[in-house]
Amino acid sequence: MDGTGWRPIKRTRTFEDVLAQIERRIAEDGLTVGDRLPAERQLAEQLGVSRSSVREAMRVLETLGVVSSQVGRGPDAGAVLTSRPDSALSDLLRLHLGLASLEMREVIDTRHMIEQWAAAGAAAARADTSALAAALAGMDAAGSAEEFVEHDTAFHCALADASGNRLVAAIMRSLRDSMRRYSVEAVQRLGDTSILRSDHVRILEAVGAGDPDEAARAVSEHLAHAYPSLFTA
């Protein structure tokens, strides 16, 4: 290891080694969101690898939602650490759904487990329901299935946020983003969204009343109404 804290890389699969070293430095140096990694040329020199290997590693990290590349010189050069776990998860889930390596039933079952827990937690904490109410108003004003799903997604992501668990919130966003097309199709098949609206009101009221059991039941019944052919109670 040299004075910079980076270890020269000697193996041939260099971009993976670059990734491993960046992960190690994040852990050992306590780097956080907003911190900047060395510029491409500097990082390549410190690691003893080509700039193309560093560039490839940065592309992988950017796809994973870990860094945002910055073009420039001096203090503005280098990649900045970010935190977008839901973006990477969304892309991954959408691809696997498209390849049929995951079934929509599995996504719905996973969402059921996560969202029941989130709703119960939000109710137990008597979380602020203003974001839920705003999303409900958006659904009421929606002029198409796509608009309805946009605000429906906002409602359920706000519910996950209200649980206070950031990982649960990120997973919920990735689940909803990956199944957006299926959600629009479900609303179109249903036609009348009044039952879904009643479900949302029930969830909101249960959270506002601080009733975890009712909030969890309301989520379960809502999913059964939205995806009757897929949902497993």
Side-chain angles (χ1 to χ4, degrees), residues 183-194:
S183 298
V184 171
E185 291 172 355
V187 170
Q188 289 172 335
R189 282 194 301 270
L190 191 61
D192 182 5
T193 58
S194 58

Side-chain angles (χ1 to χ4, degrees), residues 10-27:
K10 299 178 181 179
R11 289 182 288 172
T12 55
R13 228 165 29 183
T14 50
F15 89 93
E16 292 182 353
D17 293 317
V18 173
L19 289 172
Q21 290 231 37
I22 291 173
E23 181 181 353
R24 179 181 62 81
R25 288 296 299 273
I26 289 172

Side-chain angles (χ1 to χ4, degrees), residues 32-43:
T32 60
V33 172
D35 287 340
R36 191 180 298 275
L37 294 175
E40 182 184 292
R41 181 190 296 276
Q42 182 184 358
L43 192 53

Side-chain angles (χ1 to χ4, degrees), residues 12-71:
T12 55
R13 228 165 29 183
T14 50
F15 89 93
E16 292 182 353
D17 293 317
V18 173
L19 289 172
Q21 290 231 37
I22 291 173
E23 181 181 353
R24 179 181 62 81
R25 288 296 299 273
I26 289 172
E28 291 181 1
D29 296 356
L31 298 180
T32 60
V33 172
D35 287 340
R36 191 180 298 275
L37 294 175
E40 182 184 292
R41 181 190 296 276
Q42 182 184 358
L43 192 53
E45 290 173 354
Q46 291 174 353
L47 293 171
V49 300
S50 67
R51 292 181 65 175
S52 63
S53 294
V54 172
R55 201 173 302 126
E56 187 172 4
M58 289 302 166
R59 279 198 293 265
V60 171
L61 291 173
E62 193 160 13
T63 300
L64 292 173
V66 177
V67 303
S68 175
S69 295
Q70 302 288 321
V71 178

Side-chain angles (χ1 to χ4, degrees), residues 54-109:
V54 172
R55 201 173 302 126
E56 187 172 4
M58 289 302 166
R59 279 198 293 265
V60 171
L61 291 173
E62 193 160 13
T63 300
L64 292 173
V66 177
V67 303
S68 175
S69 295
Q70 302 288 321
V71 178
R73 295 178 178 274
D76 293 327
V80 176
L81 294 175
T82 62
S83 179
R84 295 179 289 109
D86 49 314
S87 175
L89 285 169
S90 296
D91 293 341
L92 182 64
L93 284 171
R94 190 163 47 247
L95 283 170
H96 281 286
L97 282 169
L99 293 169
S101 53
L102 285 175
E103 295 182 2
M104 182 53 61
R105 181 184 300 277
E106 294 171 301
V107 175
I108 296 299
D109 285 345

